[in-house]
Amino acid sequence: MSNPRYWASQWYTTKFAKEPWPGGWYWHDHHYNWNGPFDTEHEANDALQAHLELEREESDARERERAQFELYYHPKSPYSQKVLIAIYEKDAQFKRNIVNLRDDSERARFRELYPMGKLPVIELNHGPLIPESSVIIEYLDSLGGKRLISSDPDVARKTRFKDRFLDFYLTDSVAAIRSECQKSDADQDRERLETLRYRIGAVYDFMEYELKNQTWASGERFSLADCTAAAALAFAEETAPFAEYPSLAAYAERLGNRPSVARVRDEAGD
Ligand SMILES: N[C@@H](CCC(=O)N[C@@H](CS)C(=O)NCC(=O)O)C(=O)O
């Protein structure tokens, strides 16, 4: 049996009991409460499996109750990673639903929930669905706890700008380059590739300039824009390396050392 807390055994009960127990097969839970006797090992095992299933259902129900929302995501998707970093920064309780969009039936099922079919989305316990990574993080931030968007409107504007800037011109450009590069050489749109590479260069130039004098993307406090940057830079590194931008490269390393970011990368198997 794979779970060592549970064991159906005839031998155990007869060997160690002070008084002989009625003959048959038993199983015990992790408190060593014995259940049985069953006539056959097979029946004891069935009863044990039913018990485990009930336990799983109860633990799922408890998790659902504790969770403020359910997250639909994939650990390797950059927009999902951005939201996960924010969730870990805020220590929010949630229930995970991993969606593999490459699987036809999973994709079809997910589109029934969110017709646009884009990850991540969250579903609140009282029903509403919130798509779009930045909107999700804005919502989570509005619930309180450690703030990822400053209450100072000037700082908040810079944070929101960098978030949009990195999403649109870095993450989306890298995704577009990757999909263009999957085409045969003859089918690739050179002009488009050039525009995309130009945009990425402009993002790197701007970030390099900004990060010369500040620790995080929009100042001295970790923010929504850093969640975005951590996911975007990890996604971009191979397609558009940034090692020659010293401040940006040092910033990427700082991000990688952040526990929330390290945890997300670990879960993605990076
Ligand atoms: N603007 C969206 C972008 C989400 C997005 O593009 N997600 C990707 C995964 S990282 C996706 O779901 N791609 C599947 C598809 O485009 O069909 C956001 O910020 O959440």
Side-chain angles (χ1 to χ4, degrees), residues 74 76-83 101 107 110-111 114 116-121 131-136 163-164 167-168 171-172 175 235:
H74 192 280
K76 285 196 182 291
S77 117
Y79 285 106
S80 301
Q81 292 184 352
K82 167 179 159 184
V83 166
L101 291 175
R107 189 174 58 246
F110 180 62
R111 282 185 181 169
Y114 180 42
M116 200 53 74
K118 297 265 187 190
L119 295 170
V121 302
E132 288 296 320
S133 55
S134 307
V135 181
I136 294 171
D163 166 59
R164 304 290 64 218
D167 272 359
F168 292 147
T171 308
D172 289 355
F235 185 56

CSV table of all heavy atoms in Angstrom, one decimal, residues 74 76-83 101 107 110-111 114 116-121 131-136 163-164 167-168 171-172 175 235, ligand 1:
chain,number,residue,atom,x,y,z
A,74,HIS,N,-1.7,27.9,-15.0
A,74,HIS,CA,-0.7,26.9,-15.2
A,74,HIS,C,0.6,27.3,-14.7
A,74,HIS,O,1.0,28.5,-14.9
A,74,HIS,CB,-0.6,26.6,-16.7
A,74,HIS,CG,0.1,25.3,-17.0
A,74,HIS,ND1,1.5,25.3,-17.0
A,74,HIS,CD2,-0.3,24.0,-17.2
A,74,HIS,CE1,1.9,24.0,-17.2
A,74,HIS,NE2,0.9,23.3,-17.3
A,76,LYS,N,3.6,27.1,-15.5
A,76,LYS,CA,4.6,27.6,-16.5
A,76,LYS,C,4.1,28.8,-17.2
A,76,LYS,O,4.9,29.4,-18.0
A,76,LYS,CB,5.0,26.5,-17.5
A,76,LYS,CG,5.9,25.4,-16.8
A,76,LYS,CD,6.5,24.6,-17.9
A,76,LYS,CE,7.4,23.5,-17.2
A,76,LYS,NZ,8.5,23.9,-16.6
A,77,SER,N,2.9,29.2,-17.1
A,77,SER,CA,2.4,30.4,-17.9
A,77,SER,C,2.9,31.7,-17.2
A,77,SER,O,2.7,31.9,-16.0
A,77,SER,CB,0.9,30.3,-18.0
A,77,SER,OG,0.3,31.4,-17.4
A,78,PRO,N,3.5,32.6,-17.9
A,78,PRO,CA,4.0,33.8,-17.3
A,78,PRO,C,3.0,34.7,-16.6
A,78,PRO,O,3.2,35.2,-15.5
A,78,PRO,CB,4.7,34.6,-18.4
A,78,PRO,CG,4.4,33.9,-19.7
A,78,PRO,CD,3.9,32.5,-19.4
A,79,TYR,N,1.8,34.8,-17.2
A,79,TYR,CA,0.7,35.6,-16.6
A,79,TYR,C,0.2,34.9,-15.3
A,79,TYR,O,-0.1,35.6,-14.4
A,79,TYR,CB,-0.4,35.9,-17.6
A,79,TYR,CG,0.0,36.9,-18.6
A,79,TYR,CD1,0.3,36.6,-19.9
A,79,TYR,CD2,0.2,38.3,-18.2
A,79,TYR,CE1,0.7,37.5,-20.9
A,79,TYR,CE2,0.6,39.2,-19.2
A,79,TYR,CZ,0.9,38.8,-20.5
A,79,TYR,OH,1.3,39.8,-21.4
A,80,SER,N,0.2,33.6,-15.3
A,80,SER,CA,-0.2,32.9,-14.1
A,80,SER,C,0.9,33.1,-13.0
A,80,SER,O,0.6,33.3,-11.8
A,80,SER,CB,-0.3,31.4,-14.3
A,80,SER,OG,-1.2,31.1,-15.3
A,81,GLN,N,2.2,33.1,-13.4
A,81,GLN,CA,3.3,33.3,-12.5
A,81,GLN,C,3.2,34.6,-11.8
A,81,GLN,O,3.4,34.8,-10.6
A,81,GLN,CB,4.6,33.1,-13.1
A,81,GLN,CG,4.8,31.6,-13.6
A,81,GLN,CD,6.2,31.4,-14.2
A,81,GLN,OE1,7.0,32.3,-14.4
A,81,GLN,NE2,6.5,30.1,-14.5
A,82,LYS,N,2.9,35.6,-12.7
A,82,LYS,CA,2.7,37.0,-12.1
A,82,LYS,C,1.7,37.0,-11.0
A,82,LYS,O,2.0,37.6,-9.9
A,82,LYS,CB,2.3,37.9,-13.3
A,82,LYS,CG,1.8,39.3,-13.0
A,82,LYS,CD,1.5,40.0,-14.2
A,82,LYS,CE,0.6,41.2,-14.0
A,82,LYS,NZ,0.1,41.9,-15.2
A,83,VAL,N,0.5,36.4,-11.2
A,83,VAL,CA,-0.5,36.4,-10.2
A,83,VAL,C,-0.1,35.6,-9.0
A,83,VAL,O,-0.3,36.0,-7.8
A,83,VAL,CB,-1.8,35.9,-10.8
A,83,VAL,CG1,-2.9,35.6,-9.7
A,83,VAL,CG2,-2.4,37.0,-11.7
A,101,LEU,N,-4.0,24.0,-21.2
A,101,LEU,CA,-4.7,24.5,-22.4
A,101,LEU,C,-4.3,23.7,-23.7
A,101,LEU,O,-5.0,23.8,-24.7
A,101,LEU,CB,-4.4,26.0,-22.6
A,101,LEU,CG,-5.0,26.9,-21.6
A,101,LEU,CD1,-4.6,28.3,-21.8
A,101,LEU,CD2,-6.6,26.8,-21.6
A,107,ARG,N,-9.2,22.4,-22.4
A,107,ARG,CA,-9.3,23.8,-23.0
A,107,ARG,C,-10.8,24.0,-23.2
A,107,ARG,O,-11.3,25.1,-22.9
A,107,ARG,CB,-8.6,23.9,-24.3
A,107,ARG,CG,-8.5,25.3,-24.8
A,107,ARG,CD,-7.6,25.4,-26.1
A,107,ARG,NE,-8.1,24.6,-27.2
A,107,ARG,CZ,-7.4,23.6,-27.6
A,107,ARG,NH1,-6.2,23.3,-27.1
A,107,ARG,NH2,-7.8,22.8,-28.6
A,110,PHE,N,-12.5,24.7,-19.9
A,110,PHE,CA,-12.1,26.0,-19.4
A,110,PHE,C,-12.8,27.2,-20.1
A,110,PHE,O,-13.2,28.1,-19.5
A,110,PHE,CB,-10.6,26.2,-19.4
A,110,PHE,CG,-10.1,27.5,-18.9
A,110,PHE,CD1,-10.3,27.9,-17.6
A,110,PHE,CD2,-9.5,28.5,-19.7
A,110,PHE,CE1,-9.9,29.1,-17.1
A,110,PHE,CE2,-9.1,29.7,-19.2
A,110,PHE,CZ,-9.3,30.0,-17.9
A,111,ARG,N,-13.0,27.0,-21.4
A,111,ARG,CA,-13.7,28.0,-22.2
A,111,ARG,C,-15.2,28.1,-21.8
A,111,ARG,O,-15.8,29.2,-22.1
A,111,ARG,CB,-13.6,27.7,-23.7
A,111,ARG,CG,-12.2,28.1,-24.2
A,111,ARG,CD,-12.2,28.0,-25.7
A,111,ARG,NE,-10.9,28.3,-26.3
A,111,ARG,CZ,-10.5,28.1,-27.5
A,111,ARG,NH1,-11.3,27.5,-28.3
A,111,ARG,NH2,-9.3,28.5,-27.9
A,114,TYR,N,-14.6,30.5,-19.0
A,114,TYR,CA,-14.1,31.8,-19.5
A,114,TYR,C,-13.9,31.7,-21.0
A,114,TYR,O,-12.9,31.2,-21.4
A,114,TYR,CB,-12.8,32.3,-18.8
A,114,TYR,CG,-12.3,33.6,-19.2
A,114,TYR,CD1,-13.2,34.7,-19.4
A,114,TYR,CD2,-10.9,33.8,-19.4
A,114,TYR,CE1,-12.7,35.9,-19.8
A,114,TYR,CE2,-10.4,35.0,-19.8
A,114,TYR,CZ,-11.3,36.1,-20.0
A,114,TYR,OH,-10.8,37.3,-20.4
A,116,MET,N,-12.9,33.5,-23.3
A,116,MET,CA,-11.6,33.9,-24.0
A,116,MET,C,-10.5,32.9,-23.8
A,116,MET,O,-9.6,32.9,-24.6
A,116,MET,CB,-11.2,35.3,-23.3
A,116,MET,CG,-10.3,36.1,-24.1
A,116,MET,SD,-10.8,36.4,-25.8
A,116,MET,CE,-12.1,37.6,-25.5
A,117,GLY,N,-10.7,32.0,-22.9
A,117,GLY,CA,-9.7,30.9,-22.7
A,117,GLY,C,-8.3,31.3,-22.3
A,117,GLY,O,-7.4,30.5,-22.5
A,118,LYS,N,-8.2,32.4,-21.7
A,118,LYS,CA,-6.8,32.9,-21.3
A,118,LYS,C,-6.7,32.7,-19.8
A,118,LYS,O,-7.5,33.0,-19.0
A,118,LYS,CB,-6.7,34.4,-21.5
A,118,LYS,CG,-6.8,34.7,-23.0
A,118,LYS,CD,-5.4,34.8,-23.6
A,118,LYS,CE,-5.5,35.3,-25.0
A,118,LYS,NZ,-4.2,35.2,-25.7
A,119,LEU,N,-5.5,32.2,-19.4
A,119,LEU,CA,-5.1,32.0,-18.0
A,119,LEU,C,-4.2,33.2,-17.6
A,119,LEU,O,-3.5,33.7,-18.4
A,119,LEU,CB,-4.2,30.8,-17.9
A,119,LEU,CG,-5.0,29.4,-18.1
A,119,LEU,CD1,-3.9,28.3,-18.2
A,119,LEU,CD2,-6.0,29.2,-17.1
A,120,PRO,N,-4.3,33.6,-16.3
A,120,PRO,CA,-5.1,33.1,-15.3
A,120,PRO,C,-6.5,33.8,-15.1
A,120,PRO,O,-6.7,34.8,-15.6
A,120,PRO,CB,-4.2,33.4,-14.0
A,120,PRO,CG,-3.7,34.8,-14.4
A,120,PRO,CD,-3.4,34.7,-15.9
A,121,VAL,N,-7.4,33.1,-14.4
A,121,VAL,CA,-8.6,33.8,-13.9
A,121,VAL,C,-8.8,33.3,-12.4
A,121,VAL,O,-8.3,32.2,-12.0
A,121,VAL,CB,-9.9,33.4,-14.7
A,121,VAL,CG1,-9.7,33.8,-16.1
A,121,VAL,CG2,-10.3,32.0,-14.5
A,131,PRO,N,-11.0,37.8,-14.7
A,131,PRO,CA,-9.8,37.5,-15.6
A,131,PRO,C,-8.8,38.6,-15.6
A,131,PRO,O,-9.1,39.7,-14.9
A,131,PRO,CB,-10.5,37.3,-16.9
A,131,PRO,CG,-11.9,38.0,-16.8
A,131,PRO,CD,-12.1,38.4,-15.4
A,132,GLU,N,-7.8,38.5,-16.3
A,132,GLU,CA,-6.7,39.5,-16.5
A,132,GLU,C,-5.8,39.7,-15.3
A,132,GLU,O,-6.3,40.1,-14.2
A,132,GLU,CB,-7.3,40.8,-17.0
A,132,GLU,CG,-7.9,40.9,-18.4
A,132,GLU,CD,-6.8,40.6,-19.4
A,132,GLU,OE1,-5.7,41.2,-19.3
A,132,GLU,OE2,-7.0,39.9,-20.4
A,133,SER,N,-4.6,39.3,-15.5
A,133,SER,CA,-3.6,39.3,-14.4
A,133,SER,C,-3.6,40.6,-13.5
A,133,SER,O,-3.6,40.5,-12.3
A,133,SER,CB,-2.2,38.9,-14.9
A,133,SER,OG,-1.8,39.8,-15.9
A,134,SER,N,-3.5,41.7,-14.2
A,134,SER,CA,-3.4,43.0,-13.5
A,134,SER,C,-4.7,43.3,-12.7
A,134,SER,O,-4.6,43.8,-11.6
A,134,SER,CB,-3.1,44.1,-14.4
A,134,SER,OG,-2.0,43.8,-15.2
A,135,VAL,N,-5.8,42.9,-13.3
A,135,VAL,CA,-7.1,43.2,-12.7
A,135,VAL,C,-7.3,42.3,-11.4
A,135,VAL,O,-7.7,42.7,-10.4
A,135,VAL,CB,-8.3,43.0,-13.6
A,135,VAL,CG1,-9.6,43.3,-13.0
A,135,VAL,CG2,-8.1,43.9,-14.9
A,136,ILE,N,-6.8,41.1,-11.6
A,136,ILE,CA,-6.8,40.1,-10.4
A,136,ILE,C,-6.0,40.7,-9.3
A,136,ILE,O,-6.4,40.7,-8.1
A,136,ILE,CB,-6.3,38.7,-10.9
A,136,ILE,CG1,-7.2,38.1,-11.9
A,136,ILE,CG2,-6.1,37.8,-9.7
A,136,ILE,CD1,-6.6,36.8,-12.5
A,163,ASP,N,3.7,47.9,-15.2
A,163,ASP,CA,3.0,46.7,-15.3
A,163,ASP,C,2.5,46.5,-16.8
A,163,ASP,O,2.7,45.5,-17.4
A,163,ASP,CB,1.8,46.6,-14.3
A,163,ASP,CG,0.8,45.5,-14.6
A,163,ASP,OD1,1.3,44.3,-14.6
A,163,ASP,OD2,-0.4,45.8,-14.9
A,164,ARG,N,1.8,47.5,-17.3
A,164,ARG,CA,1.2,47.5,-18.6
A,164,ARG,C,2.4,47.4,-19.7
A,164,ARG,O,2.4,46.6,-20.6
A,164,ARG,CB,0.4,48.7,-19.0
A,164,ARG,CG,-0.8,49.0,-18.0
A,164,ARG,CD,-1.9,48.1,-18.2
A,164,ARG,NE,-1.5,46.7,-17.7
A,164,ARG,CZ,-1.9,45.6,-18.3
A,164,ARG,NH1,-2.7,45.7,-19.4
A,164,ARG,NH2,-1.5,44.5,-17.9
A,167,ASP,N,4.0,43.9,-19.6
A,167,ASP,CA,3.0,42.9,-20.2
A,167,ASP,C,3.0,43.1,-21.7
A,167,ASP,O,3.2,42.1,-22.5
A,167,ASP,CB,1.6,43.1,-19.7
A,167,ASP,CG,1.3,42.4,-18.4
A,167,ASP,OD1,2.3,41.7,-17.9
A,167,ASP,OD2,0.2,42.5,-17.9
A,168,PHE,N,2.7,44.3,-22.2
A,168,PHE,CA,2.4,44.5,-23.6
A,168,PHE,C,3.7,44.4,-24.5
A,168,PHE,O,3.7,43.8,-25.5
A,168,PHE,CB,1.8,45.9,-23.9
A,168,PHE,CG,0.4,46.0,-23.4
A,168,PHE,CD1,-0.1,47.2,-22.9
A,168,PHE,CD2,-0.5,44.9,-23.3
A,168,PHE,CE1,-1.4,47.3,-22.4
A,168,PHE,CE2,-1.8,45.0,-22.8
A,168,PHE,CZ,-2.2,46.2,-22.4
A,171,THR,N,6.5,40.7,-22.4
A,171,THR,CA,5.9,39.4,-22.4
A,171,THR,C,5.2,39.1,-23.7
A,171,THR,O,5.5,38.0,-24.3
A,171,THR,CB,4.9,39.2,-21.2
A,171,THR,OG1,5.5,39.6,-20.0
A,171,THR,CG2,4.4,37.7,-21.1
A,172,ASP,N,4.3,40.0,-24.2
A,172,ASP,CA,3.6,39.7,-25.4
A,172,ASP,C,4.5,39.7,-26.6
A,172,ASP,O,4.3,38.9,-27.5
A,172,ASP,CB,2.5,40.7,-25.6
A,172,ASP,CG,1.3,40.5,-24.6
A,172,ASP,OD1,1.4,39.5,-23.8
A,172,ASP,OD2,0.4,41.3,-24.6
A,175,ALA,N,6.3,36.3,-26.6
A,175,ALA,CA,5.4,35.3,-27.0
A,175,ALA,C,5.2,35.3,-28.5
A,175,ALA,O,5.2,34.3,-29.2
A,175,ALA,CB,4.0,35.4,-26.3
A,235,PHE,N,10.5,34.7,-18.6
A,235,PHE,CA,10.0,34.2,-19.8
A,235,PHE,C,10.9,34.7,-21.0
A,235,PHE,O,11.1,34.0,-22.0
A,235,PHE,CB,8.6,34.8,-20.0
A,235,PHE,CG,7.8,34.3,-21.2
A,235,PHE,CD1,7.7,33.0,-21.4
A,235,PHE,CD2,7.2,35.2,-22.1
A,235,PHE,CE1,6.9,32.5,-22.5
A,235,PHE,CE2,6.5,34.8,-23.2
A,235,PHE,CZ,6.4,33.5,-23.4
B,1,LIG,N1,-3.7,39.9,-20.8
B,1,LIG,C1,-3.9,38.6,-20.2
B,1,LIG,C2,-3.0,37.7,-20.9
B,1,LIG,C3,-3.2,36.2,-20.5
B,1,LIG,C4,-2.5,35.2,-21.5
B,1,LIG,O1,-2.1,35.6,-22.6
B,1,LIG,N2,-2.3,34.0,-21.0
B,1,LIG,C5,-1.8,33.0,-21.7
B,1,LIG,C6,-0.9,32.1,-20.8
B,1,LIG,S1,0.4,33.0,-20.2
B,1,LIG,C7,-2.9,32.1,-22.3
B,1,LIG,O2,-3.8,31.8,-21.7
B,1,LIG,N3,-2.7,31.7,-23.6
B,1,LIG,C8,-3.6,30.8,-24.2
B,1,LIG,C9,-4.2,31.4,-25.5
B,1,LIG,O3,-3.8,32.5,-25.9
B,1,LIG,O4,-5.1,30.7,-26.0
B,1,LIG,C10,-3.5,38.7,-18.7
B,1,LIG,O5,-2.8,39.6,-18.3
B,1,LIG,O6,-4.0,37.8,-17.9
